[in-house]
mmCIF file of all heavy atoms in Angstrom:
data_model
loop_
_atom_site.group_PDB
_atom_site.id
_atom_site.type_symbol
_atom_site.label_atom_id
_atom_site.label_comp_id
_atom_site.label_asym_id
_atom_site.label_seq_id
_atom_site.Cartn_x
_atom_site.Cartn_y
_atom_site.Cartn_z
ATOM 1 N N GLY A 268 -39.836 36.031 22.835
ATOM 2 C CA GLY A 268 -40.757 36.002 23.966
ATOM 3 C C GLY A 268 -41.765 34.885 23.820
ATOM 4 O O GLY A 268 -41.939 34.309 22.746
ATOM 5 N N LEU A 269 -42.445 34.579 24.930
ATOM 6 C CA LEU A 269 -43.447 33.513 24.973
ATOM 7 C C LEU A 269 -44.627 33.993 25.816
ATOM 8 O O LEU A 269 -45.038 33.340 26.769
ATOM 9 C CB LEU A 269 -42.839 32.235 25.577
ATOM 10 C CG LEU A 269 -41.583 31.677 24.883
ATOM 11 C CD1 LEU A 269 -40.855 30.694 25.796
ATOM 12 C CD2 LEU A 269 -41.948 31.001 23.568
ATOM 13 N N ILE A 270 -45.168 35.134 25.449
ATOM 14 C CA ILE A 270 -46.095 35.823 26.341
ATOM 15 C C ILE A 270 -47.343 35.007 26.668
ATOM 16 O O ILE A 270 -47.927 35.152 27.736
ATOM 17 C CB ILE A 270 -46.472 37.213 25.780
ATOM 18 C CG1 ILE A 270 -47.135 38.065 26.871
ATOM 19 C CG2 ILE A 270 -47.334 37.097 24.541
ATOM 20 C CD1 ILE A 270 -47.313 39.528 26.487
ATOM 21 N N SER A 271 -47.757 34.092 25.783
ATOM 22 C CA SER A 271 -48.947 33.290 26.065
ATOM 23 C C SER A 271 -48.714 32.300 27.201
ATOM 24 O O SER A 271 -49.670 31.755 27.766
ATOM 25 C CB SER A 271 -49.391 32.523 24.811
ATOM 26 O OG SER A 271 -48.495 31.458 24.520
ATOM 27 N N GLN A 272 -47.452 32.076 27.560
ATOM 28 C CA GLN A 272 -47.115 31.059 28.555
ATOM 29 C C GLN A 272 -46.710 31.625 29.910
ATOM 30 O O GLN A 272 -46.634 30.882 30.889
ATOM 31 C CB GLN A 272 -45.955 30.204 28.020
ATOM 32 C CG GLN A 272 -46.195 29.603 26.652
ATOM 33 C CD GLN A 272 -47.402 28.697 26.613
ATOM 34 O OE1 GLN A 272 -47.422 27.655 27.275
ATOM 35 N NE2 GLN A 272 -48.415 29.096 25.865
ATOM 36 N N TYR A 273 -46.448 32.914 29.977
ATOM 37 C CA TYR A 273 -45.819 33.472 31.171
ATOM 38 C C TYR A 273 -46.657 33.335 32.434
ATOM 39 O O TYR A 273 -46.120 33.196 33.524
ATOM 40 C CB TYR A 273 -45.489 34.947 30.959
ATOM 41 C CG TYR A 273 -44.385 35.214 29.961
ATOM 42 C CD1 TYR A 273 -44.252 36.460 29.360
ATOM 43 C CD2 TYR A 273 -43.480 34.226 29.624
ATOM 44 C CE1 TYR A 273 -43.238 36.717 28.449
ATOM 45 C CE2 TYR A 273 -42.467 34.462 28.711
ATOM 46 C CZ TYR A 273 -42.352 35.716 28.132
ATOM 47 O OH TYR A 273 -41.350 35.966 27.232
ATOM 48 N N ASN A 274 -47.969 33.387 32.293
ATOM 49 C CA ASN A 274 -48.825 33.403 33.481
ATOM 50 C C ASN A 274 -49.599 32.095 33.691
ATOM 51 O O ASN A 274 -50.519 32.041 34.497
ATOM 52 C CB ASN A 274 -49.804 34.582 33.391
ATOM 53 C CG ASN A 274 -49.071 35.911 33.343
ATOM 54 O OD1 ASN A 274 -48.348 36.263 34.255
ATOM 55 N ND2 ASN A 274 -49.249 36.642 32.255
ATOM 56 N N LEU A 275 -49.190 31.047 32.972
ATOM 57 C CA LEU A 275 -49.847 29.756 33.117
ATOM 58 C C LEU A 275 -49.173 28.943 34.217
ATOM 59 O O LEU A 275 -47.940 28.911 34.317
ATOM 60 C CB LEU A 275 -49.788 28.967 31.805
ATOM 61 C CG LEU A 275 -50.443 29.606 30.573
ATOM 62 C CD1 LEU A 275 -50.307 28.666 29.379
ATOM 63 C CD2 LEU A 275 -51.901 29.933 30.838
ATOM 64 N N GLU A 276 -49.975 28.279 35.041
ATOM 65 C CA GLU A 276 -49.393 27.423 36.069
ATOM 66 C C GLU A 276 -48.681 26.232 35.438
ATOM 67 O O GLU A 276 -47.657 25.758 35.931
ATOM 68 C CB GLU A 276 -50.482 26.943 37.027
ATOM 69 C CG GLU A 276 -51.051 28.059 37.916
ATOM 70 C CD GLU A 276 -52.028 27.527 38.937
ATOM 71 O OE1 GLU A 276 -52.119 26.288 39.103
ATOM 72 O OE2 GLU A 276 -52.711 28.348 39.573
ATOM 73 N N LYS A 277 -49.230 25.746 34.300
ATOM 74 C CA LYS A 277 -48.617 24.639 33.570
ATOM 75 C C LYS A 277 -48.488 25.052 32.107
ATOM 76 O O LYS A 277 -49.469 25.031 31.373
ATOM 77 C CB LYS A 277 -49.460 23.361 33.697
ATOM 78 C CG LYS A 277 -48.796 22.150 33.053
ATOM 79 C CD LYS A 277 -49.637 20.899 33.244
ATOM 80 C CE LYS A 277 -48.965 19.682 32.610
ATOM 81 N NZ LYS A 277 -49.790 18.452 32.764
ATOM 82 N N PRO A 278 -47.305 25.437 31.663
ATOM 83 C CA PRO A 278 -47.127 25.861 30.267
ATOM 84 C C PRO A 278 -47.525 24.770 29.283
ATOM 85 O O PRO A 278 -47.412 23.568 29.573
ATOM 86 C CB PRO A 278 -45.627 26.161 30.185
ATOM 87 C CG PRO A 278 -45.221 26.456 31.587
ATOM 88 C CD PRO A 278 -46.075 25.576 32.446
ATOM 89 N N GLU A 279 -47.988 25.178 28.111
ATOM 90 C CA GLU A 279 -48.403 24.235 27.069
ATOM 91 C C GLU A 279 -47.185 23.545 26.457
ATOM 92 O O GLU A 279 -46.131 24.159 26.284
ATOM 93 C CB GLU A 279 -49.175 24.966 25.974
ATOM 94 C CG GLU A 279 -50.475 25.571 26.459
ATOM 95 C CD GLU A 279 -51.113 26.489 25.434
ATOM 96 O OE1 GLU A 279 -50.375 27.191 24.719
ATOM 97 O OE2 GLU A 279 -52.351 26.492 25.349
ATOM 98 N N GLY A 280 -47.356 22.288 26.098
ATOM 99 C CA GLY A 280 -46.278 21.537 25.477
ATOM 100 C C GLY A 280 -46.255 21.705 23.970
ATOM 101 O O GLY A 280 -47.220 22.180 23.362
ATOM 102 N N LEU A 281 -45.149 21.305 23.356
ATOM 103 C CA LEU A 281 -45.004 21.319 21.906
ATOM 104 C C LEU A 281 -45.031 19.882 21.389
ATOM 105 O O LEU A 281 -44.457 18.981 22.007
ATOM 106 C CB LEU A 281 -43.694 21.989 21.496
ATOM 107 C CG LEU A 281 -43.527 23.465 21.850
ATOM 108 C CD1 LEU A 281 -42.140 23.955 21.445
ATOM 109 C CD2 LEU A 281 -44.605 24.304 21.166
ATOM 110 N N TYR A 282 -45.669 19.687 20.226
ATOM 111 C CA TYR A 282 -45.818 18.349 19.671
ATOM 112 C C TYR A 282 -45.087 18.172 18.340
ATOM 113 O O TYR A 282 -44.880 17.041 17.899
ATOM 114 C CB TYR A 282 -47.306 18.029 19.478
ATOM 115 C CG TYR A 282 -48.075 18.060 20.774
ATOM 116 C CD1 TYR A 282 -48.723 19.225 21.196
ATOM 117 C CD2 TYR A 282 -48.136 16.942 21.604
ATOM 118 C CE1 TYR A 282 -49.414 19.269 22.398
ATOM 119 C CE2 TYR A 282 -48.828 16.973 22.811
ATOM 120 C CZ TYR A 282 -49.459 18.155 23.200
ATOM 121 O OH TYR A 282 -50.137 18.184 24.391
ATOM 122 N N ASN A 283 -44.710 19.272 17.721
ATOM 123 C CA ASN A 283 -44.152 19.195 16.376
ATOM 124 C C ASN A 283 -42.651 19.477 16.340
ATOM 125 O O ASN A 283 -42.119 19.958 15.337
ATOM 126 C CB ASN A 283 -44.892 20.184 15.462
ATOM 127 C CG ASN A 283 -46.368 19.853 15.361
ATOM 128 O OD1 ASN A 283 -46.756 18.685 15.248
ATOM 129 N ND2 ASN A 283 -47.212 20.876 15.443
ATOM 130 N N VAL A 284 -41.968 19.154 17.424
ATOM 131 C CA VAL A 284 -40.535 19.447 17.504
ATOM 132 C C VAL A 284 -39.717 18.651 16.493
ATOM 133 O O VAL A 284 -38.582 19.035 16.164
ATOM 134 C CB VAL A 284 -39.989 19.213 18.928
ATOM 135 C CG1 VAL A 284 -40.535 20.232 19.890
ATOM 136 C CG2 VAL A 284 -40.307 17.796 19.405
ATOM 137 N N ALA A 285 -40.266 17.537 15.969
ATOM 138 C CA ALA A 285 -39.537 16.762 14.960
ATOM 139 C C ALA A 285 -39.235 17.605 13.721
ATOM 140 O O ALA A 285 -38.261 17.334 13.011
ATOM 141 C CB ALA A 285 -40.326 15.522 14.576
ATOM 142 N N SER A 286 -40.046 18.640 13.484
ATOM 143 C CA SER A 286 -39.801 19.519 12.342
ATOM 144 C C SER A 286 -38.447 20.201 12.443
ATOM 145 O O SER A 286 -37.821 20.516 11.426
ATOM 146 C CB SER A 286 -40.906 20.580 12.238
ATOM 147 O OG SER A 286 -42.151 19.996 11.921
ATOM 148 N N ILE A 287 -37.988 20.455 13.673
ATOM 149 C CA ILE A 287 -36.682 21.095 13.858
ATOM 150 C C ILE A 287 -35.587 20.215 13.256
ATOM 151 O O ILE A 287 -34.668 20.702 12.584
ATOM 152 C CB ILE A 287 -36.415 21.356 15.351
ATOM 153 C CG1 ILE A 287 -37.480 22.301 15.929
ATOM 154 C CG2 ILE A 287 -35.018 21.932 15.554
ATOM 155 C CD1 ILE A 287 -37.398 22.472 17.430
ATOM 156 N N LEU A 288 -35.720 18.915 13.467
ATOM 157 C CA LEU A 288 -34.738 17.968 12.933
ATOM 158 C C LEU A 288 -34.897 17.784 11.428
ATOM 159 O O LEU A 288 -33.952 17.986 10.664
ATOM 160 C CB LEU A 288 -34.894 16.626 13.655
ATOM 161 C CG LEU A 288 -34.118 15.444 13.084
ATOM 162 C CD1 LEU A 288 -32.621 15.708 13.154
ATOM 163 C CD2 LEU A 288 -34.478 14.160 13.828
#
Side-chain angles (χ1 to χ4, degrees):
L269 303 163
I270 195 170
S271 72
Q272 306 300 296
Y273 291 160
N274 299 299
L275 300 181
E276 291 185 11
K277 185 178 181 181
E279 296 170 324
L281 297 177
Y282 299 93
N283 299 318
V284 291
S286 293
I287 299 173
L288 170 62

